[in-house]
Amino acid sequence: MSFEKSFNSSPSIVLTTPGRVNLIGEHTDYNDGFVLPTVIPQSTKIELSGRGGSRVRVASLNMAASGIESYMLGEEVNNGGWLAYIQGVTQVLAKSGFKISGFDAFIQSTVPTGAGLSSSAALIVGLIKALRLAYQLDLTDKAIALLAQRVENEFVGAHVGIMDQMAVSLAAPGQALFLDTRSLEFKLIKLPKHLGLIVINSGIKHSNIGGGYSERRQSCEESAKFMGVRALRDVSIDDTRKMMLLPPLLAKRAHHVITENARVVAAVSALQAGDLTRLGALFKESHASMRDDYEVSIPEIDILVEIACADPAVYGARLTGGGFGGSIVALANAQDAAAAAKRIADRFELRTGHKATVLVP
Ligand code: ADP
Ligand code: MG
């Protein structure tokens, strides 16, 4: 399967968009808070050619079983499958007044899907960037991130925040994107040379549609209302009087978001100081908070984090992404990261029978 074989021609545009790993700042983006993601080497490649008319034809090597899918612009429907991410793009572009015609697109990605590494944002942002080139759409990278979020929120039905789209649209290798998700102001923070990032996919897939993710989001909105603030971003850890207004479960959920926000700010200082010990400690605190307060971890991920933290080369580890499955991110010295990652994955398989995949380094 290739663009040429699928459509009997060569693509006029070839564009790659990376996946992302969030270093810290989980479930803070829909609370107007802070996040700190960076890109990963895995990426989504989109080959595309504009055509006349309004027929869209698209194939994905990752979804080879579905062959070439096709639909007409203006007749987008969400059928629940991967095509919703494509149809969502063309519908949101049309709703926003951007004119395109029919096109052929071929997708292939090395970002695992449902692993908490933003294959969805890489696909959507990548497709909009390819269409920007094909149709000279007047869109900045930031505007593309916002459109991409609308695709997930309004069409796909995933009520995700803005982190993933901003990360894959704006971040660059070797840097972390310190993003204020309220103002969308950001700073690129250089990753120290001696930092060895480890990303391991547990192989257990998550979903952002319905279920736990939406429930957590709702509880944050309720908490903010109880406390009379616009978003949990506006509550600091010292606002104990406000926190006392909350029923116990909401208080636990809010506690995660409020402390996590503070941890992102602390993590930026630690990164700038090159202090991996401090950063590792923040990773550990973040994981405990996601596990105990926010309850978005699962036993297999807790085991993976525990094995990682017990490794002599590792400063700290945590669940990364929305949770309920997915991947972990861990920290080591650059020269130790590869060996440590392999040890962690091997021990995990021995203990649980699940095959974990090392994605970084
Ligand atoms: P994540 O973004 O963490 O990988 P999501 O559930 O948000 O997980 O998005 C995964 C979904 O995005 C897949 O199930 C699929 O529908 C779609 N998707 C992502 N990458 C591709 C791809 N390369 N080809 C086709 N669909 C894709
Ligand atoms: Mg996603």
Side-chain angles (χ1 to χ4, degrees):
M1 227 182 165
S2 65
F3 187 96
E4 286 79 2
K5 283 200 179 117
S6 302
F7 307 117
N8 284 319
S9 60
S10 300
S12 56
I13 284 154
V14 182
L15 194 135
T16 344
T17 309
R20 68 98 187 95
V21 62
N22 191 21
L23 298 182
I24 198 161
E26 224 66 77
H27 291 273
T28 47
D29 66 345
Y30 52 80
N31 289 294
D32 280 0
F34 301 112
V35 292
L36 191 64
T38 184
V39 296
I40 53 174
Q42 289 77 12
S43 65
T44 298
K45 178 171 150 192
I46 300 201
E47 297 169 288
L48 186 141
S49 284
R51 288 190 291 108
S54 47
R55 179 163 295 283
V56 174
R57 295 188 299 178
V58 56
S60 168
L61 193 59
N62 305 90
M63 308 283 166
S66 64
I68 301 176
E69 297 274 4
S70 168
Y71 68 95
M72 303 299 278
L73 294 174
E75 291 175 14
E76 291 88 352
V77 279
N78 182 359
N79 55 11
W82 70 272
L83 196 63
Y85 292 82
I86 312 299
Q87 300 202 40
V89 165
T90 57
Q91 185 178 82
V92 165
L93 282 176
K95 272 199 203 164
S96 312
F98 293 100
K99 298 245 177 323
I100 60 168
S101 65
F103 59 88
D104 293 333
F106 188 81
I107 301 154
Q108 51 190 312
S109 183
T110 50
V111 185
T113 58
L117 302 170
S118 274
S119 71
S120 62
L123 173 59
I124 298 170
V125 167
L127 180 59
I128 303 178
K129 284 190 173 178
L131 291 169
R132 170 172 68 180
L133 276 173
Y135 297 100
Q136 287 93 46
L137 305 180
D138 185 17
L139 281 167
T140 62
D141 289 350
K142 200 189 254 191
I144 285 178
L146 285 164
L147 286 176
Q149 184 193 21
R150 284 182 53 198
V151 171
E152 295 218 38
N153 289 173
E154 294 172 20
F155 195 87
V156 174
H159 297 282
V160 296
I162 189 67
M163 165 170 68
D164 300 357
Q165 302 79 4
M166 284 292 282
V168 307
S169 193
L170 288 151
Q175 297 171 323
L177 181 87
F178 175 37
L179 173 69
D180 178 337
T181 64
R182 170 170 279 170
S183 65
L184 294 191
E185 275 169 28
F186 62 88
K187 224 191 225 165
L188 290 168
I189 313 285
K190 219 168 158 339
L191 298 178
K193 282 264 177 294
H194 64 289
L195 182 154
L197 206 58
I198 295 171
V199 180
I200 301 175
N201 178 8
S202 73
I204 301 159
K205 291 202 182 199
H206 75 86
S207 165
N208 301 331
I209 302 169
Y213 192 97
S214 297
E215 191 270 333
R216 295 302 184 284
R217 187 170 178 147
Q218 236 169 0
S219 66
C220 291
E221 282 160 17
E222 261 176 68
S223 295
K225 221 179 264 166
F226 256 111
M227 292 190 274
V229 293
R230 186 171 142 200
L232 288 184
R233 149 73 178 276
D234 300 305
V235 184
S236 93
I237 200 65
D238 309 316
D239 281 333
T240 34
R241 260 190 328 152
K242 278 192 190 139
M243 290 288 285
M244 271 161 41
L245 296 170
L246 297 178
L249 184 64
L250 287 189
K252 249 169 77 158
R253 302 287 189 251
H255 189 257
H256 164 72
V257 174
I258 294 160
T259 56
E260 185 77 354
N261 252 333
R263 279 187 290 271
V264 179
V265 177
V268 171
S269 304
L271 260 188
Q272 286 168 330
D275 187 346
L276 300 190
T277 306
R278 173 86 187 109
L279 195 56
L282 290 163
F283 273 30
K284 288 181 188 170
E285 284 172 33
S286 171
H287 185 75
S289 179
M290 287 175 86
R291 181 191 62 211
D292 303 333
D293 282 345
Y294 219 57
E295 297 180 281
V296 290
S297 190
I298 55 169
E300 292 86 346
I301 294 275
D302 290 339
I303 291 172
L304 195 48
V305 166
E306 183 196 314
I307 291 170
C309 289
D311 191 283
V314 169
Y315 291 96
R318 55 179 289 276
L319 160 63
T320 186
F324 306 106
S327 304
I328 69 156
V329 57
L331 274 185
N333 285 321
Q335 74 271 19
D336 299 331
K342 184 172 180 332
R343 280 195 298 269
I344 296 163
D346 288 348
R347 281 188 194 136
F348 180 67
E349 187 172 357
L350 210 62
R351 190 157 149 198
T352 65
H354 287 290
K355 192 145 188 58
T357 313
V358 176
L359 295 171
V360 182

mmCIF file with all atom_site columns, all heavy atoms in Angstrom, residues 20 85 117-121 152 160 164 206 208, ligand 2:
data_model
loop_
_atom_site.group_PDB
_atom_site.id
_atom_site.type_symbol
_atom_site.label_atom_id
_atom_site.label_alt_id
_atom_site.label_comp_id
_atom_site.label_asym_id
_atom_site.label_entity_id
_atom_site.label_seq_id
_atom_site.pdbx_PDB_ins_code
_atom_site.Cartn_x
_atom_site.Cartn_y
_atom_site.Cartn_z
_atom_site.occupancy
_atom_site.B_iso_or_equiv
_atom_site.pdbx_formal_charge
_atom_site.auth_seq_id
_atom_site.auth_comp_id
_atom_site.auth_asym_id
_atom_site.auth_atom_id
_atom_site.pdbx_PDB_model_num
ATOM   1  N  N   . ARG A 1 20  ? 3.826   13.365 20.565 1.00 0.00 ? 20  ARG A N   1
ATOM   2  C  CA  . ARG A 1 20  ? 4.379   14.101 21.706 1.00 0.00 ? 20  ARG A CA  1
ATOM   3  C  C   . ARG A 1 20  ? 4.330   13.244 22.970 1.00 0.00 ? 20  ARG A C   1
ATOM   4  O  O   . ARG A 1 20  ? 3.508   12.349 23.095 1.00 0.00 ? 20  ARG A O   1
ATOM   5  C  CB  . ARG A 1 20  ? 3.625   15.410 21.937 1.00 0.00 ? 20  ARG A CB  1
ATOM   6  C  CG  . ARG A 1 20  ? 2.171   15.258 22.410 1.00 0.00 ? 20  ARG A CG  1
ATOM   7  C  CD  . ARG A 1 20  ? 2.014   15.403 23.918 1.00 0.00 ? 20  ARG A CD  1
ATOM   8  N  NE  . ARG A 1 20  ? 0.674   15.087 24.367 1.00 0.00 ? 20  ARG A NE  1
ATOM   9  C  CZ  . ARG A 1 20  ? 0.292   13.904 24.814 1.00 0.00 ? 20  ARG A CZ  1
ATOM   10 N  NH1 . ARG A 1 20  ? 1.124   12.892 24.849 1.00 0.00 ? 20  ARG A NH1 1
ATOM   11 N  NH2 . ARG A 1 20  ? -0.949  13.723 25.234 1.00 0.00 ? 20  ARG A NH2 1
ATOM   12 N  N   . TYR A 1 85  ? -11.653 11.352 11.924 1.00 0.00 ? 85  TYR A N   1
ATOM   13 C  CA  . TYR A 1 85  ? -10.593 12.361 12.119 1.00 0.00 ? 85  TYR A CA  1
ATOM   14 C  C   . TYR A 1 85  ? -10.370 13.151 10.826 1.00 0.00 ? 85  TYR A C   1
ATOM   15 O  O   . TYR A 1 85  ? -9.994  14.317 10.863 1.00 0.00 ? 85  TYR A O   1
ATOM   16 C  CB  . TYR A 1 85  ? -9.299  11.688 12.593 1.00 0.00 ? 85  TYR A CB  1
ATOM   17 C  CG  . TYR A 1 85  ? -9.428  11.112 13.994 1.00 0.00 ? 85  TYR A CG  1
ATOM   18 C  CD1 . TYR A 1 85  ? -10.016 9.861  14.217 1.00 0.00 ? 85  TYR A CD1 1
ATOM   19 C  CD2 . TYR A 1 85  ? -9.010  11.830 15.103 1.00 0.00 ? 85  TYR A CD2 1
ATOM   20 C  CE1 . TYR A 1 85  ? -10.166 9.348  15.493 1.00 0.00 ? 85  TYR A CE1 1
ATOM   21 C  CE2 . TYR A 1 85  ? -9.141  11.328 16.391 1.00 0.00 ? 85  TYR A CE2 1
ATOM   22 C  CZ  . TYR A 1 85  ? -9.726  10.087 16.577 1.00 0.00 ? 85  TYR A CZ  1
ATOM   23 O  OH  . TYR A 1 85  ? -9.880  9.583  17.842 1.00 0.00 ? 85  TYR A OH  1
ATOM   24 N  N   . LEU A 1 117 ? 0.297   9.166  23.256 1.00 0.00 ? 117 LEU A N   1
ATOM   25 C  CA  . LEU A 1 117 ? 1.382   9.915  22.618 1.00 0.00 ? 117 LEU A CA  1
ATOM   26 C  C   . LEU A 1 117 ? 0.863   10.753 21.457 1.00 0.00 ? 117 LEU A C   1
ATOM   27 O  O   . LEU A 1 117 ? 1.619   11.210 20.604 1.00 0.00 ? 117 LEU A O   1
ATOM   28 C  CB  . LEU A 1 117 ? 2.488   8.950  22.175 1.00 0.00 ? 117 LEU A CB  1
ATOM   29 C  CG  . LEU A 1 117 ? 3.068   8.128  23.343 1.00 0.00 ? 117 LEU A CG  1
ATOM   30 C  CD1 . LEU A 1 117 ? 3.979   7.023  22.838 1.00 0.00 ? 117 LEU A CD1 1
ATOM   31 C  CD2 . LEU A 1 117 ? 3.819   9.021  24.334 1.00 0.00 ? 117 LEU A CD2 1
ATOM   32 N  N   . SER A 1 118 ? -0.454  10.950 21.423 1.00 0.00 ? 118 SER A N   1
ATOM   33 C  CA  . SER A 1 118 ? -1.088  11.910 20.502 1.00 0.00 ? 118 SER A CA  1
ATOM   34 C  C   . SER A 1 118 ? -1.015  11.565 19.033 1.00 0.00 ? 118 SER A C   1
ATOM   35 O  O   . SER A 1 118 ? -0.747  12.422 18.196 1.00 0.00 ? 118 SER A O   1
ATOM   36 C  CB  . SER A 1 118 ? -0.484  13.296 20.687 1.00 0.00 ? 118 SER A CB  1
ATOM   37 O  OG  . SER A 1 118 ? -1.138  13.939 21.707 1.00 0.00 ? 118 SER A OG  1
ATOM   38 N  N   . SER A 1 119 ? -1.310  10.315 18.729 1.00 0.00 ? 119 SER A N   1
ATOM   39 C  CA  . SER A 1 119 ? -1.423  9.982  17.306 1.00 0.00 ? 119 SER A CA  1
ATOM   40 C  C   . SER A 1 119 ? -2.565  10.770 16.687 1.00 0.00 ? 119 SER A C   1
ATOM   41 O  O   . SER A 1 119 ? -2.515  11.143 15.513 1.00 0.00 ? 119 SER A O   1
ATOM   42 C  CB  . SER A 1 119 ? -1.644  8.478  17.119 1.00 0.00 ? 119 SER A CB  1
ATOM   43 O  OG  . SER A 1 119 ? -2.934  8.088  17.542 1.00 0.00 ? 119 SER A OG  1
ATOM   44 N  N   . SER A 1 120 ? -3.602  11.058 17.475 1.00 0.00 ? 120 SER A N   1
ATOM   45 C  CA  . SER A 1 120 ? -4.760  11.781 16.920 1.00 0.00 ? 120 SER A CA  1
ATOM   46 C  C   . SER A 1 120 ? -4.377  13.206 16.545 1.00 0.00 ? 120 SER A C   1
ATOM   47 O  O   . SER A 1 120 ? -4.702  13.676 15.453 1.00 0.00 ? 120 SER A O   1
ATOM   48 C  CB  . SER A 1 120 ? -5.932  11.767 17.907 1.00 0.00 ? 120 SER A CB  1
ATOM   49 O  OG  . SER A 1 120 ? -5.602  12.417 19.115 1.00 0.00 ? 120 SER A OG  1
ATOM   50 N  N   . ALA A 1 121 ? -3.650  13.903 17.422 1.00 0.00 ? 121 ALA A N   1
ATOM   51 C  CA  . ALA A 1 121 ? -3.247  15.283 17.110 1.00 0.00 ? 121 ALA A CA  1
ATOM   52 C  C   . ALA A 1 121 ? -2.246  15.297 15.963 1.00 0.00 ? 121 ALA A C   1
ATOM   53 O  O   . ALA A 1 121 ? -2.295  16.178 15.100 1.00 0.00 ? 121 ALA A O   1
ATOM   54 C  CB  . ALA A 1 121 ? -2.655  15.956 18.343 1.00 0.00 ? 121 ALA A CB  1
ATOM   55 N  N   . GLU A 1 152 ? -11.535 17.335 17.314 1.00 0.00 ? 152 GLU A N   1
ATOM   56 C  CA  . GLU A 1 152 ? -11.740 16.287 18.331 1.00 0.00 ? 152 GLU A CA  1
ATOM   57 C  C   . GLU A 1 152 ? -12.978 16.584 19.178 1.00 0.00 ? 152 GLU A C   1
ATOM   58 O  O   . GLU A 1 152 ? -13.767 15.697 19.471 1.00 0.00 ? 152 GLU A O   1
ATOM   59 C  CB  . GLU A 1 152 ? -10.502 16.150 19.238 1.00 0.00 ? 152 GLU A CB  1
ATOM   60 C  CG  . GLU A 1 152 ? -9.277  15.668 18.471 1.00 0.00 ? 152 GLU A CG  1
ATOM   61 C  CD  . GLU A 1 152 ? -8.393  14.680 19.242 1.00 0.00 ? 152 GLU A CD  1
ATOM   62 O  OE1 . GLU A 1 152 ? -8.913  13.826 19.977 1.00 0.00 ? 152 GLU A OE1 1
ATOM   63 O  OE2 . GLU A 1 152 ? -7.162  14.772 19.081 1.00 0.00 ? 152 GLU A OE2 1
ATOM   64 N  N   . VAL A 1 160 ? -11.092 16.707 24.612 1.00 0.00 ? 160 VAL A N   1
ATOM   65 C  CA  . VAL A 1 160 ? -9.701  16.925 25.032 1.00 0.00 ? 160 VAL A CA  1
ATOM   66 C  C   . VAL A 1 160 ? -9.378  18.412 25.101 1.00 0.00 ? 160 VAL A C   1
ATOM   67 O  O   . VAL A 1 160 ? -10.044 19.237 24.492 1.00 0.00 ? 160 VAL A O   1
ATOM   68 C  CB  . VAL A 1 160 ? -8.724  16.231 24.053 1.00 0.00 ? 160 VAL A CB  1
ATOM   69 C  CG1 . VAL A 1 160 ? -8.907  14.725 24.086 1.00 0.00 ? 160 VAL A CG1 1
ATOM   70 C  CG2 . VAL A 1 160 ? -8.931  16.734 22.617 1.00 0.00 ? 160 VAL A CG2 1
ATOM   71 N  N   . ASP A 1 164 ? -2.204  18.674 23.259 1.00 0.00 ? 164 ASP A N   1
ATOM   72 C  CA  . ASP A 1 164 ? -1.650  17.798 22.225 1.00 0.00 ? 164 ASP A CA  1
ATOM   73 C  C   . ASP A 1 164 ? -1.459  18.535 20.908 1.00 0.00 ? 164 ASP A C   1
ATOM   74 O  O   . ASP A 1 164 ? -0.424  18.413 20.246 1.00 0.00 ? 164 ASP A O   1
ATOM   75 C  CB  . ASP A 1 164 ? -2.579  16.601 21.981 1.00 0.00 ? 164 ASP A CB  1
ATOM   76 C  CG  . ASP A 1 164 ? -2.783  15.758 23.223 1.00 0.00 ? 164 ASP A CG  1
ATOM   77 O  OD1 . ASP A 1 164 ? -2.147  16.070 24.258 1.00 0.00 ? 164 ASP A OD1 1
ATOM   78 O  OD2 . ASP A 1 164 ? -3.571  14.802 23.157 1.00 0.00 ? 164 ASP A OD2 1
ATOM   79 N  N   . HIS A 1 206 ? -5.888  3.322  25.522 1.00 0.00 ? 206 HIS A N   1
ATOM   80 C  CA  . HIS A 1 206 ? -6.851  4.155  26.243 1.00 0.00 ? 206 HIS A CA  1
ATOM   81 C  C   . HIS A 1 206 ? -7.844  4.738  25.247 1.00 0.00 ? 206 HIS A C   1
ATOM   82 O  O   . HIS A 1 206 ? -7.674  4.629  24.044 1.00 0.00 ? 206 HIS A O   1
ATOM   83 C  CB  . HIS A 1 206 ? -6.124  5.311  26.936 1.00 0.00 ? 206 HIS A CB  1
ATOM   84 C  CG  . HIS A 1 206 ? -5.714  6.371  25.972 1.00 0.00 ? 206 HIS A CG  1
ATOM   85 N  ND1 . HIS A 1 206 ? -6.549  7.395  25.600 1.00 0.00 ? 206 HIS A ND1 1
ATOM   86 C  CD2 . HIS A 1 206 ? -4.581  6.535  25.245 1.00 0.00 ? 206 HIS A CD2 1
ATOM   87 C  CE1 . HIS A 1 206 ? -5.931  8.146  24.708 1.00 0.00 ? 206 HIS A CE1 1
ATOM   88 N  NE2 . HIS A 1 206 ? -4.738  7.650  24.473 1.00 0.00 ? 206 HIS A NE2 1
ATOM   89 N  N   . ASN A 1 208 ? -10.303 8.498  24.780 1.00 0.00 ? 208 ASN A N   1
ATOM   90 C  CA  . ASN A 1 208 ? -10.690 9.800  25.351 1.00 0.00 ? 208 ASN A CA  1
ATOM   91 C  C   . ASN A 1 208 ? -12.160 10.089 25.118 1.00 0.00 ? 208 ASN A C   1
ATOM   92 O  O   . ASN A 1 208 ? -12.637 11.177 25.396 1.00 0.00 ? 208 ASN A O   1
ATOM   93 C  CB  . ASN A 1 208 ? -9.907  10.932 24.680 1.00 0.00 ? 208 ASN A CB  1
ATOM   94 C  CG  . ASN A 1 208 ? -8.420  10.770 24.851 1.00 0.00 ? 208 ASN A CG  1
ATOM   95 O  OD1 . ASN A 1 208 ? -7.975  10.195 25.838 1.00 0.00 ? 208 ASN A OD1 1
ATOM   96 N  ND2 . ASN A 1 208 ? -7.654  11.250 23.904 1.00 0.00 ? 208 ASN A ND2 1
HETATM 97 MG MG  . MG  B 2 .   ? -5.380  11.758 21.133 1.00 0.00 ? 2   MG  B MG  1
#
